[in-house]
């Protein structure tokens, strides 16, 4: 699919990430907004006389969502710092 010198894959990947940084940041913002809305909904929505946020299955889903958003945020910040520092792995 892509051709290049052996050992330069990370460098090429970082260049691609540099070109798509605004998309990564926008995607993170959308994920955060979706999580915030999900938490708000879980606090407001009631089923069987209880908030759905009180059900363990919903709590697990929200916790998993929070973990993935935080992992994406860490990846975005780390890769952006490396690009700013000129560290492209080469």
């Amino acid at each position: 699919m892509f051709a290049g010198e052996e050992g330069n894959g990370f460098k090429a990947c970082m260049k691609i990430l540099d070109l798509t940084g605004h998309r990564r940041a926008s995607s993170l913002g959308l994920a955060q907004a979706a999580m915030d809305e999900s938490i708000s909904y879980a606090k407001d929505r009631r089923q069987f006389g209880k908030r759905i946020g009180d059900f363990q299955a919903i709590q697990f889903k929200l916790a998993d969502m929070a973990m993935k958003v935080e992992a994406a945020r860490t990846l975005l910040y780390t890769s952006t710092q490396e690009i700013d520092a000129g560290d492209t792995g080469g």
Side-chain angles (χ1 to χ4, degrees):
M1 182 182 220
F2 293 104
E5 293 180 32
E6 186 174 335
N8 287 333
F10 181 76
K11 188 176 186 178
C13 184
M14 291 301 286
K15 285 183 180 181
I16 292 168
L17 289 175
D18 188 28
L19 297 173
T20 61
H22 66 283
R23 289 189 197 130
R24 291 178 291 137
S26 295
S27 297
L28 177 60
L30 287 171
Q32 180 68 53
M35 184 179 73
D36 293 344
E37 189 62 31
S38 297
I39 292 169
S40 177
Y41 183 78
K43 288 179 180 179
D44 293 339
R45 176 78 165 99
R46 299 186 73 79
Q47 189 67 36
F48 308 113
K50 293 173 63 174
R51 297 180 316 153
I52 65 168
D54 293 334
F55 293 109
Q56 190 175 37
I58 300 299
Q59 292 172 358
F60 285 158
K61 287 180 183 287
L62 293 173
D64 191 50
M65 187 183 292
M67 182 261 316
K68 290 177 180 177
V69 168
E70 189 58 35
R73 179 177 288 112
T74 300
L75 179 62
L76 173 67
Y77 290 174
T78 301
S79 63
T80 302
Q81 288 173 344
E82 289 176 2
I83 290 167
D84 287 347
D87 181 11
T88 58

